[in-house]
Amino acid sequence: MTHVLLNAAAFILVIIIGRFLAARRLLPANAGETLKSIVMNITLPAAIIMNFSKTGSSSGGVMLSLAALGLLVNVIMVGVGMALTHRRSSADEALYMLSLPAMNIGAFCIPFIQSFLPALGTVAASMFDVGNSIACTGGTFAFTSEYVRRSGNSSSSFLTTINWRMFGRRLVTSTPLMTYIIMFALTTGGVHLPSEVFTLIAPLSVANPCIALLMIGVMIRIEFKREYMKDVAVILGLRHLFSVALALVCYFVLPFDLVIRQALVLVAFAPLSVIAPAYVGMCDGDEGKASAINSFSIILSVAEITGLLVVMGLN
């Protein structure tokens, strides 16, 4: 237990250092975006490639089912957001539909999983993130932006107005998503990259946890505004109820290897995606409120995932 707590404390320390550097203005104003670009386009893809190389030829059916599960989770939570805001303002619709789903797996959960589970755990989380990424890197935004702008049309009519070309462009320009897909195709097809490639990118893969958590610390913002608290409490409460249900189903019901089930339990408690607040603002919702939800969700997830590591005896 001491080993687990020390490793988790090291991760928390990196987040705290990032927050300190940002608060003291020891970094440029755009440092968070710079770190995010490094993680999403360099270190996270490197970590994905390295971990796929260590798993051999994992069952394609299992991996595809994990991707489908990641997408399904987002679809369910978008539906919950639609139901809860059926007779409320378009700003509330945007807030709930974009803040209930969207899990920060690549930058937040994978550093923990990469450090505490075998490579298969990272691959499983990555494949779950394929489905999650289809939603949170553009899918949910494309759907919600049309939904909140409908003008008395039926709930089915707005589907035909979605800009599918832009939707597809968002997906194919997501470096982590395309890395997942390419590595999955190569692995299931029995194609292996030269060992020299892994030697070159190994340092980048090792750097991913530290840079990703530093980025989270730099970008975290906590605003205690009274008018935020009701929606923050409701959305975080619903997300965590769903997280508990998802974790229980993944661990006790799904017929996967133990490492995969443990990875899914950790993923279930992922915080809100860092890009969700921006999407809320782009849909004329309250971006400040969404940012508060994002920040509180990170704090809660750090505590919950650390507790889960101890409970599951991972070290």
Side-chain angles (χ1 to χ4, degrees):
M1 179 184 295
T2 302
H3 179 70
V4 174
L5 291 175
L6 283 174
N7 277 278
F11 280 15
I12 295 169
L13 178 61
V14 175
I15 296 175
I16 292 172
I17 290 172
R19 180 82 292 273
F20 174 80
L21 292 174
R24 300 290 294 180
R25 298 184 180 179
L26 297 174
L27 294 174
N30 64 342
E33 290 301 320
T34 301
L35 289 170
K36 178 181 174 183
S37 180
I38 292 171
V39 169
M40 301 306 289
N41 294 297
I42 301 175
T43 63
L44 177 56
I48 293 166
I49 293 170
M50 287 298 297
N51 283 285
F52 264 99
S53 73
K54 298 174 184 176
T55 60
S57 54
S58 300
S59 171
V62 170
M63 294 299 143
L64 286 176
S65 67
L66 292 174
L69 179 62
L71 180 59
L72 177 62
V73 165
N74 280 269
V75 170
I76 291 172
M77 294 308 286
V78 170
V80 172
M82 292 171 64
L84 290 174
T85 57
H86 179 58
R87 298 186 182 277
R88 295 173 63 173
S89 67
S90 60
D92 286 341
E93 289 177 334
L95 179 68
Y96 276 71
M97 290 173 64
L98 290 165
S99 298
L100 281 173
M103 307 163 81
N104 186 355
I105 296 172
F108 187 89
C109 287
I110 284 183
F112 282 93
I113 295 170
Q114 185 180 351
S115 300
F116 289 96
L117 284 171
L120 179 59
T122 302
V123 171
S126 297
M127 289 308 301
F128 184 96
D129 199 26
V130 169
N132 175 65
S133 295
I134 291 172
C136 73
T137 61
T140 305
F141 167 66
F143 181 87
T144 302
S145 62
E146 299 300 331
Y147 182 84
V148 300
R149 289 178 173 83
R150 72 198 188 287
S151 302
N153 295 327
S154 67
S155 60
S156 59
S157 62
F158 74 91
L159 292 175
T160 60
T161 68
I162 293 177
N163 188 334
W164 292 106
R165 179 177 295 179
M166 182 60 68
F167 174 53
R169 184 180 299 172
R170 287 192 183 100
L171 297 183
V172 299
T173 55
S174 170
T175 306
L177 176 61
M178 297 311 297
T179 305
Y180 295 147
I181 293 172
I182 291 170
M183 289 306 299
F184 173 73
L186 292 176
T187 302
T188 54
V191 178
H192 302 286
L193 296 176
S195 60
E196 292 80 5
V197 172
F198 303 124
T199 302
L200 288 173
I201 67 172
L204 299 174
S205 173
V206 172
N208 183 63
C210 183
I211 297 177
L213 294 168
L214 187 67
M215 175 201 75
I216 289 171
V218 170
M219 299 183 72
I220 194 171
R221 298 289 184 273
I222 301 176
E223 296 185 71
F224 292 94
K225 291 187 177 181
R226 182 173 296 178
E227 61 268 27
Y228 287 179
M229 289 303 105
K230 180 180 178 182
D231 284 325
V232 169
V234 170
I235 289 174
L236 289 178
L238 288 171
R239 280 181 65 94
H240 283 77
L241 284 174
F242 189 78
S243 295
V244 171
L246 178 61
L248 290 173
V249 169
C250 289
Y251 194 82
F252 292 108
V253 178
L254 296 184
F256 300 145
D257 291 344
L258 177 61
V259 170
I260 295 177
R261 289 184 283 123
Q262 289 172 329
L264 292 177
V265 168
L266 298 179
V267 162
F269 288 90
L272 179 64
S273 169
V274 294
I275 60 176
Y279 282 151
V280 171
M282 291 165 66
C283 291
D284 299 323
D286 191 329
E287 186 172 346
K289 193 179 291 185
S291 296
I293 294 168
N294 174 255
S295 299
F296 283 116
S297 73
I298 290 172
I299 294 170
L300 290 171
S301 291
V302 168
E304 290 160 347
I305 289 178
T306 300
L308 288 167
L309 292 172
V310 174
V311 169
M312 292 192 291
L314 301 177
N315 52 60

